[in-house]
Amino acid sequence: MNPFDDELQRRLAALREQNLFRELRRVDSAQGPHLRINGETFLNFSSNDYLGLANHPALKEAAIKAVEKFGAGAGAARLVSGSLAPFHELEEKLAAFKQTGAALTFSTGYAAAIGTITSLVGKDDVIILDKLVHACIVDAAKLSGAKLRVFDHNDLVDLEKILIWADEKKRGAQTSTRTLIVTESIFSMDGDAAPLREIVALKDKYGAWLMVDEAHATGIIGQNGRGLADELGVGRRIEIQMGTLGKALGASGGYICGSRALIDYLINRARSFIFSTAPVPAAAAAAIAGIHLVESAEGKARRKSLFSRVEALNLKLKIKNSKLPSAIIPLILGDETAALTAASQLRAQHIFVPAIRYPTVARGAARLRITLTAEHTADDVATLCAALPALNA
Ligand SMILES: *Cc1c(COP(=O)(O)O)cnc(C)c1O
């Protein structure tokens, strides 16, 4: 082997030793409650396709029609070769759905976070993150060069302490400095909710900006699935609302919703938007169909079915419903090996639940991350519950 590969093999061996090595599992079926892996069928509790739209006939048909009319590829970045109609239609739809002045879509949620945060704040500014925000927000914050501060998860006292510090820093500064707070609404690995009303009150008190990532709330939480900000009545007071089209909306891509000024600014400044080929038009068409569905009676029925499965599982696991229920139910096992063993024991029973380890969660906070979807039946949940106690046997 050559020295380059030797070096990488050594690094991989270190990951294996710590039980942190990861590999891809090839799936030969569409996304849904059942997956075909190596010729066997598994009951799937790993998907973020919470409403079961990824393989829905309406989304597939919309994507096929878009391919027929607009082709397979977009040809160039949207500022270069013209901006295909499906993206505009999608952005109008998103702005209406989120009740904001405008919207902009990106190739992924990851790209949306990177482009937006790095264009809004720089080295003279302060960015304040909840300790558990998604990796794309952490990466964006680092890349922005802004002074990075982290508050304990959902801890308003800690957040205010940092805001006071940032305020004092601002007073002493020559240049005008901005403070941006970023949080999620429903957290991706814990499924709990941020106290958005209180965070909005704090950011107003200290003149900070607020960005909320609704990746795990859009489509499933609140009236018509508009998300937690809307549900709590604070949507209009949040400067930047972000999310993905790839989870409950069943398609692919990321979005930012906010004022017309914000969107015009991002079109001019967000490098992950400017310097990247537009997504395939079929993805935009599928996302439009996804939002239509989420807002329809069928969407409402799917949310109802999802939350009745969530309630059944929470009841079995004796998880108190004091918190807002979400589709994400973590079973925290702590040790990386314990999480891997649990996941492989479930796989032996043809149940697919991912073991989530560092660096997705903190070291020693490894877990099984169970996600439910509207497509799961009551029997599916019963099968999972019957398999789970075996973990402790
Ligand atoms: C999945 C996710 C993203 C990234 O969205 P993609 O469209 O998958 O790139 C961003 N934020 C959170 C909280 C997520 O869970």
Side-chain angles (χ1 to χ4, degrees):
M1 218 183 292
N2 67 47
F4 175 70
D5 285 352
D6 274 349
E7 165 71 25
L8 298 191
Q9 288 299 358
R10 262 197 302 280
R11 294 187 195 182
L12 288 168
L15 285 178
R16 280 198 185 85
E17 234 157 71
Q18 301 169 73
N19 272 321
L20 294 176
F21 183 75
R22 302 173 174 211
E23 56 196 330
L24 295 170
R25 277 199 185 79
R26 174 177 164 152
V27 173
D28 292 304
S29 58
Q31 193 54 231
H34 302 278
L35 294 178
R36 287 293 286 177
I37 302 174
N38 282 334
E40 293 184 277
T41 301
F42 290 80
L43 196 48
N44 177 21
F45 293 101
S46 68
S47 181
N48 299 322
D49 176 26
Y50 301 123
L51 295 178
L53 301 189
N55 195 34
H56 191 287
L59 275 76
K60 291 200 279 190
E61 194 190 317
I64 290 165
K65 280 199 175 135
V67 168
E68 282 166 353
K69 184 160 182 199
F70 294 100
R78 286 171 63 189
L79 285 166
V80 173
S81 69
S83 177
L84 293 174
F87 301 119
H88 292 265
E89 200 188 315
L90 170 58
E91 286 158 359
E92 282 159 24
K93 184 90 200 147
L94 271 167
F97 177 55
K98 288 281 179 177
Q99 303 185 318
T100 57
L104 187 67
T105 56
F106 292 71
S107 53
T108 61
Y110 195 112
I114 296 282
T116 302
I117 290 173
T118 58
S119 68
L120 288 171
V121 291
K123 69 174 175 42
D124 296 327
D125 305 315
V126 174
I127 184 162
I128 308 176
L129 308 182
D130 183 285
K131 190 169 186 182
L132 296 188
V133 292
H134 190 265
C136 66
I137 294 165
V138 176
D139 293 355
K142 287 181 180 165
L143 189 61
S144 74
K147 202 157 225 17
L148 173 58
R149 287 288 182 272
V150 174
F151 63 100
D152 288 338
H153 178 51
N154 283 345
D155 186 334
L156 296 164
V157 174
D158 201 27
L159 171 59
E160 185 159 21
K161 257 191 228 155
I162 300 170
L163 283 166
I164 291 168
W165 167 84
D167 207 38
E168 278 163 7
K169 183 177 183 295
K170 201 184 300 185
R171 279 174 220 286
Q174 249 87 56
T175 51
S176 79
T177 77
R178 301 285 168 212
T179 300
L180 174 65
I181 304 167
V182 193
T183 187
E184 290 176 32
S185 62
I186 299 293
F187 282 83
S188 64
M189 295 298 137
D190 291 75
D192 58 341
L196 285 186
R197 275 195 192 130
E198 291 77 5
I199 292 176
V200 165
L202 278 177
K203 72 98 188 168
D204 280 348
K205 181 172 171 190
Y206 292 94
W209 294 338
L210 176 61
M211 175 168 175
V212 176
D213 182 352
E214 296 243 46
H216 297 276
T218 294
I220 55 176
I221 302 286
Q223 175 103 33
N224 284 342
R226 281 195 207 112
L228 185 62
D230 181 77
E231 175 70 5
L232 297 177
V234 292
R236 283 169 213 281
R237 294 169 64 193
I238 295 168
E239 283 78 9
I240 308 126
Q241 298 191 53
M242 115 167 218
T244 176
L245 307 167
K247 289 170 180 157
L249 296 178
S252 172
Y255 70 79
I256 297 290
C257 286
S259 64
R260 184 74 247 170
L262 169 67
I263 299 311
D264 287 342
Y265 182 78
L266 293 177
I267 291 169
N268 283 275
R269 278 284 178 263
R271 295 170 64 87
S272 61
F273 175 83
I274 298 168
F275 298 106
S276 189
T277 302
V280 297
I288 295 166
I291 300 169
H292 268 298
L293 237 143
V294 156
E295 291 181 303
S296 71
E298 184 183 339
K300 194 171 180 183
R302 282 177 178 262
R303 280 190 290 280
K304 195 170 161 213
S305 141
L306 167 64
F307 282 109
S308 74
R309 304 291 171 262
V310 168
E311 201 184 319
L313 182 57
N314 277 340
L315 208 66
K316 275 277 203 253
L317 297 174
K318 302 197 168 45
I319 293 172
K320 289 271 189 315
N321 264 340
S322 58
K323 64 173 195 182
L324 184 78
S326 80
I328 304 161
I329 297 161
L331 291 184
I332 296 174
L333 300 171
D335 183 56
E336 278 74 27
T337 319
L340 283 181
T341 307
S344 78
Q345 284 175 357
L346 287 168
R347 262 199 317 284
Q349 301 170 75
H350 290 96
I351 296 173
F352 193 83
V353 179
I356 305 285
R357 290 165 283 165
Y358 177 84
T360 309
V361 295
R363 280 185 202 271
R367 64 197 65 190
L368 292 175
R369 176 182 183 261
I370 302 167
T371 50
L372 295 177
T373 77
E375 296 267 296
H376 284 117
T377 64
D379 276 354
D380 292 339
V381 175
T383 303
L384 173 67
C385 290
L388 285 174
L391 299 174
N392 307 313

